[in-house]
Amino acid sequence: MSSRTRDLEGLIGPTEVGDRTVAGLLSALAEAPDFASAAAFLLAQVLEMVDAERGHMLCLDTAQESLVSMASAGYEAAPHAAISIGDLSNPLVVCALSLVPVTGGGRSSIRAFVSMARWTALPMPQARLRGTLPAMPLQHAQELIGEGEVHLLQPAERRLASAPGGVIVIEGAVPERLIASVTHLVMLAGPIIARLASLQESRDSIDRLSQQRDRLTLMVDSLPDPVVITNATNDIIAQNARAERLLNAKEGDSTGRRRAIELNNLLFTSFLAKAVMTGGETGGPRELNLVDPDEGNDLLFEVLAHPLSERVGPDDAVLSVLRDVTDLRRAANELERQVQRVRLAEMKASSERDRLNLILENVADPILVTDERANIILMNDQAEQLFQASEVQQRSRRQLQAVRGNDTKFTSFISEFALLDSRARRERMMLVHPTTSSQLPVEVVSGKIMNERGEPIAIVSVLHDLTKEVEIERLYETLKTLNSELEERIRSATADLAEQNARLQWQSQEVERANRLKSEFLASMSHELRTPINALIGYSALLIDGVLGDINERQRDALRRGRAAAEHLLALINDILDLAKIEAGKMPLHLEEVELRDVISEVAQQIEPMVRKKTLDFVIDIGLECPPLYTDRTKVRQVLLNLLSNAVKFTNRGRVSVVARCTESGSGGVRIDVVDTGIGIREKDLQAIWEDFRQVDGSRTREYGGTGLGLSITRKLLDRLGGAVSVRSSYGEGSIFSVILPQKTPAGAGEEVVSARSN
């Protein structure tokens, strides 16, 4: 028995089959470190309960096709069996499929464990899932078992969600007093064993996939060539380490390296776009020039592109392998130069015809040998196509004209060269291909062969095809022109953008200056605006009280209406002037120690007439733990008065509450909630209510008056006090305005602070 099995046995205590024992065993199985330990532990417990020495556990494999050995006990060498689930003549298959215990005798009855003269098989179910086998009906199982040494025992209660999962084979007959309880225990433990087997298989699969992924990643990163996968928009999806060095910038990279990587990305994206436009993603290798970010050298790559299928990557994904052919191209160029030098050396060093023939036969370029009079004495097949009218091959008149024209140009070139003292000459020449009648730009490289006296005896000329070079030069000039035009357009657009930015900046400064002047004007005019209105209110009060003489009731009513209108106008002007002071920075803070209960009581007294007039319930709930605040008493009172006035104004029935508690953050601050059962606010208007001069109902026939500044001033005052305000509302049910005040107003919360303790 393994150490893990012994550890599991220690978790369940006694071995009698009772509720606590079953619960302990199932708990131990659920805590098993792996499937093998759980299977061995369950088999050992079952053998110990029935006092048996040997046993075997078989479980259905993943394909649900065979019963496979999973654990054994009591054997010197653990036997291995694999029984096909289609072998219905085997009692173990019938036991597993019917979920009914089976007992029997005789070594040939089960054909898997020949050493068992007497045995008992207990079914082990699993959870019914998609793909599991259905349970065999009891009647069918009885028909398959028949009569003889093997017979069915009392079936255990089947669970609705159970399916065949395996079987435990015990050597010997299980006592009748234990068969029901042991079968019940195995039926309960079976789903746990099946689930552990599924988990073990999933872990093994994940480990295999992870190892394969790591190996593939290591293989791709080990490649010396960059490998890149791009999508349909030419964005890089994946790349190996070599590609990251060329196309990926890191945080610590220098400016030069970053610029090189940006250039590489631009060149690579342009290459992919050009390949898509020309329909050449799979048209074989293409050349791509990049820059080495570390050395700054030019790199030449041969790009091999291959589209990926949906099974491998996303739609239209393309795998590009960049083969570095820089050294190969450099070697090829150097080899070409060496070949040219060898050719010239051979032409100068030898006049032997056989060596000239060897050169002519092994060079693809047209080669001609002329004498000192410019007569062609030898040429290869490529040159014959350009300069000779073959007698075997009939040529058209147009082809003959092309051949004569080529011969005239070449003869003139050789005649001039023969008169010169130089021993070699290079010159470009435009010929005509007789077969296609197309222009053929070539570079003629000619060299003189001297005799022992230093006299020219022959001239060897090699014609290099410059068709690609001419096309590249033409494309370069076109690209250069387009680049110049693009740069000019960019400079023009940049100048226009700079001019527009300057104009917008000037306009923004002018708007800011006008707004500041407006706020400063209103703040400075506060006394001039309030004094006449206060005079109107004062004289109206004197007339109403009869100080200036008796008036009748009609006159008194008119004076009351005028005074109410003046007080309303004064309140509107006060809101506007307060907003102007805040924006102009001319509203100082008078900081002092404030008892929140006193401030709320003062505000409640001011708001009480409005509450009584609308017959609302008014509730004040202040927590005893609320500490004194070091803040501006007047500003706090104004904030609460604004919120309570709004709450009463927009509440026609129900109640208005003020709830004050310490904040949950533990910073010593206070949270004040003003709760009403009024009309509420729509969700779309929750942000608009904080704007200046903004009301939810902005129509001329709105039911509720006001300037729309109360909440705006409230938020600005709380910002200066270092606090905050928020709102939650359900339309038609009411609103909750929450105010957060710090225990001590920060020193930087206001532009001008006056401590009340110094007065």
Side-chain angles (χ1 to χ4, degrees):
M1 185 182 299
S2 67
S3 59
R4 288 183 176 179
T5 305
R6 288 194 294 271
D7 292 342
L8 292 174
E9 289 178 348
L11 295 173
I12 67 170
T15 60
E16 66 271 19
V17 183
D19 291 342
R20 296 182 61 186
T21 304
V22 172
L25 186 143
L26 296 179
S27 175
L29 287 177
E31 297 175 3
D34 52 42
F35 167 71
S37 300
F41 172 70
L42 176 60
L43 180 60
Q45 290 298 311
V46 171
L47 294 178
E48 185 175 354
M49 289 176 184
V50 301
D51 196 20
E53 295 183 355
R54 292 195 300 174
H56 202 71
M57 178 186 292
L58 298 97
C59 295
L60 281 173
D61 59 6
T62 306
Q64 304 284 301
E65 295 178 352
S66 300
L67 289 171
V68 182
S69 300
M70 291 297 174
S72 61
Y75 293 91
E76 294 182 359
H80 179 76
I83 306 173
S84 173
I85 203 68
D87 185 9
L88 298 180
S89 63
N90 194 315
L92 299 184
V93 176
V94 177
C95 175
L97 293 178
S98 64
L99 300 179
V100 177
V102 177
T103 185
R107 297 181 177 180
S108 62
S109 59
I110 57 177
R111 298 191 301 280
F113 310 101
V114 296
S115 61
M116 288 187 180
R118 189 72 184 174
W119 51 268
T120 302
L122 303 177
M124 189 168 60
Q126 63 175 329
R128 182 184 298 173
L129 301 173
R130 184 171 61 183
T132 56
L133 297 175
M136 178 185 292
L138 180 60
Q139 182 178 358
H140 189 198
Q142 291 174 345
E143 294 174 356
L144 293 174
I145 292 298
E147 297 181 358
E149 295 181 350
V150 180
H151 60 274
L152 299 177
L153 298 177
Q154 182 65 28
E157 180 183 357
R158 287 187 183 179
R159 297 179 179 269
L160 294 178
S162 296
V167 64
I168 294 179
V169 183
I170 303 171
E171 184 178 23
V174 178
E176 294 183 0
R177 60 184 178 83
L178 294 178
I179 188 66
S181 58
V182 173
T183 302
H184 177 67
L185 173 64
V186 174
M187 294 286 283
L188 292 177
I192 299 178
I193 292 295
R195 182 59 57 88
L196 289 175
S198 177
L199 291 176
Q200 185 67 37
E201 183 179 357
S202 299
R203 292 193 191 101
D204 296 341
S205 178
I206 291 173
D207 291 340
R208 288 194 301 271
L209 291 176
S210 178
Q211 292 176 0
Q212 292 178 2
R213 182 193 61 192
D214 294 341
R215 284 196 296 269
L216 291 175
T217 302
L218 180 61
M219 290 170 59
V220 174
D221 285 341
S222 300
L223 293 175
D225 295 329
V227 179
V228 181
I229 299 178
T230 55
N231 59 15
T233 58
N234 294 334
D235 295 328
I236 295 178
I237 302 174
Q239 55 188 339
N240 65 350
R242 172 62 174 164
E244 287 183 355
R245 193 176 73 84
L246 292 174
L247 302 173
N248 232 359
K250 299 180 180 178
E251 294 183 0
D253 289 346
S254 63
T255 304
R257 178 178 173 81
R258 289 181 177 275
R259 289 178 179 174
I261 291 175
E262 291 176 359
L263 179 60
N264 287 343
N265 280 278
L266 179 61
L267 293 173
F268 184 60
T269 303
S270 176
F271 172 83
L272 293 176
K274 182 179 179 182
V276 171
M277 288 188 294
T278 57
E281 296 94 332
T282 59
R286 293 174 176 266
E287 292 185 351
L288 170 64
N289 289 297
L290 298 179
V291 179
D292 190 338
D294 298 325
E295 304 295 335
N297 300 327
D298 292 337
L299 299 176
L300 180 64
F301 291 94
E302 188 179 64
V303 182
L304 302 176
H306 181 72
L308 299 178
S309 61
E310 296 181 0
R311 184 173 58 85
V312 179
D315 295 343
D316 299 328
V318 177
L319 172 67
S320 299
V321 179
L322 283 65
R323 294 176 54 189
D324 190 349
V325 295
T326 305
D327 295 337
L328 182 61
R329 178 57 59 86
R330 188 180 298 115
N333 293 336
E334 181 64 25
L335 180 61
E336 181 66 22
R337 288 192 292 269
Q338 291 179 3
V339 169
Q340 293 178 1
R341 288 194 295 268
V342 168
R343 289 174 181 171
L344 293 175
E346 288 180 350
M347 286 187 296
K348 295 175 182 178
S350 176
S351 60
E352 298 177 355
R353 179 63 59 88
D354 55 344
R355 303 195 65 179
L356 287 176
N357 290 335
L358 181 62
I359 295 174
L360 295 175
E361 291 174 359
N362 291 278
V363 176
D365 292 332
I367 298 179
L368 301 95
V369 179
T370 58
D371 57 17
E372 68 277 6
R373 298 178 182 178
N375 296 320
I376 299 176
I377 58 177
L378 187 63
M379 57 182 169
N380 61 357
D381 295 338
Q382 290 78 8
E384 288 181 357
Q385 295 179 6
L386 298 174
F387 297 100
Q388 186 175 14
S390 175
E391 297 179 357
V392 178
Q393 182 181 3
Q394 297 295 327
R395 292 181 179 265
S396 65
R397 183 175 181 181
R398 176 179 52 81
Q399 293 174 340
L400 292 175
Q401 290 177 351
V403 170
R404 293 191 188 100
N406 294 340
D407 183 69
T408 301
K409 292 180 181 179
F410 182 72
T411 303
S412 300
F413 168 77
I414 294 298
S415 299
E416 293 177 1
F417 178 45
L419 299 175
L420 299 177
D421 295 334
S422 59
R423 302 185 63 176
R425 185 182 182 185
R426 288 173 178 266
E427 185 174 315
R428 286 193 175 189
M429 184 182 301
M430 185 64 68
L431 303 179
V432 177
H433 200 289
T435 303
T436 61
S437 299
S438 59
Q439 297 290 325
L440 181 63
V442 295
E443 181 185 36
V444 182
V445 179
S446 299
K448 297 177 180 178
I449 299 177
M450 303 294 184
N451 57 16
E452 297 177 354
R453 297 186 298 272
E455 298 173 350
I457 59 174
I459 297 176
V460 179
S461 301
V462 181
L463 281 65
H464 298 292
D465 189 353
L466 299 180
T467 304
K468 292 184 179 179
E469 286 77 358
V470 171
E471 180 64 18
I472 291 173
E473 290 176 359
R474 186 187 65 80
L475 293 176
Y476 173 75
E477 292 299 328
T478 303
L479 181 60
K480 186 176 180 181
T481 302
L482 293 176
N483 188 42
S484 300
E485 294 177 357
L486 181 60
E487 289 179 353
E488 182 61 30
R489 292 180 183 178
I490 292 175
R491 282 194 294 270
S492 177
T494 304
D496 293 342
L497 184 60
E499 182 180 353
Q500 293 177 6
N501 288 339
R503 189 181 303 111
L504 290 175
Q505 185 177 5
W506 176 81
Q507 292 175 354
S508 176
Q509 292 174 353
E510 289 298 316
V511 171
E512 183 179 355
R513 177 173 172 272
N515 187 52
R516 185 176 66 255
L517 292 176
K518 179 265 297 181
S519 299
E520 292 177 355
F521 170 75
L522 290 176
S524 62
M525 289 295 292
S526 61
H527 177 70
E528 285 74 6
L529 292 174
R530 288 191 178 102
T531 300
I533 298 176
N534 286 327
L536 289 175
I537 296 173
Y539 282 116
S540 297
L542 293 176
L543 290 172
I544 292 171
D545 294 339
V547 176
L548 301 179
D550 295 334
I551 58 176
N552 55 37
E553 189 61 31
R554 185 176 180 183
Q555 292 172 334
R556 181 174 286 104
D557 182 64
L559 289 171
R560 287 195 186 99
R561 292 176 182 271
R563 186 177 66 175
E567 290 175 346
H568 180 65
L569 179 59
L570 180 61
L572 297 180
I573 292 176
N574 285 337
D575 287 345
I576 295 174
L577 293 176
D578 288 344
L579 178 62
K581 283 186 177 182
I582 294 173
E583 292 181 347
K586 293 186 176 182
M587 179 172 282
L589 296 180
H590 299 276
L591 302 180
E592 59 181 325
E593 192 171 274
V594 177
E595 289 289 343
L596 186 61
R597 187 179 299 275
D598 296 341
V599 177
I600 295 178
S601 298
E602 293 177 10
V603 176
Q605 292 176 3
Q606 290 182 262
I607 209 70
E608 185 176 3
M610 297 174 61
V611 175
R612 288 183 177 179
K613 183 178 179 180
K614 302 186 77 169
T615 64
L616 301 174
D617 294 335
F618 187 57
V619 179
I620 299 176
D621 183 7
I622 304 175
L624 298 177
E625 73 280 5
C626 292
L629 305 177
Y630 185 69
T631 185
D632 189 319
R633 184 188 190 94
T634 304
K635 305 299 185 296
V636 175
R637 183 170 62 247
Q638 184 175 355
V639 167
L640 295 178
L641 183 60
N642 287 347
L643 295 178
L644 282 171
S645 298
N646 281 350
V648 174
K649 179 168 66 173
F650 293 104
T651 303
N652 295 323
R653 64 177 181 274
R655 70 175 184 175
V656 176
S657 304
V658 180
V659 181
R661 294 288 187 272
C662 289
T663 57
E664 298 179 356
S665 61
S667 60
V670 174
R671 177 191 179 98
I672 305 173
D673 292 336
V674 177
V675 187
D676 65 67
T677 58
I679 63 175
I681 306 170
R682 292 184 176 89
E683 185 176 358
K684 66 178 182 178
D685 297 323
L686 289 177
Q687 296 299 325
I689 61 175
W690 304 105
E691 299 177 5
D692 297 341
F693 304 102
R694 180 65 181 269
Q695 290 185 327
V696 174
D697 184 7
S699 64
R700 295 179 179 270
T701 59
R702 63 177 182 264
E703 181 180 355
Y704 304 98
T707 61
L709 290 173
L711 292 178
S712 175
I713 292 174
T714 297
R715 172 173 276 186
K716 288 180 172 62
L717 289 176
L718 287 171
D719 288 342
R720 288 177 59 80
L721 294 175
V725 62
S726 60
V727 61
R728 305 190 306 276
S729 180
S730 297
Y731 185 68
E733 298 180 3
S735 305
I736 302 176
F737 284 83
S738 300
V739 174
I740 303 296
L741 286 171
Q743 186 176 7
K744 183 176 181 181
T745 298
E751 297 177 1
E752 183 179 354
V753 179
V754 179
S755 178
R757 294 176 180 174
S758 61
N759 295 337

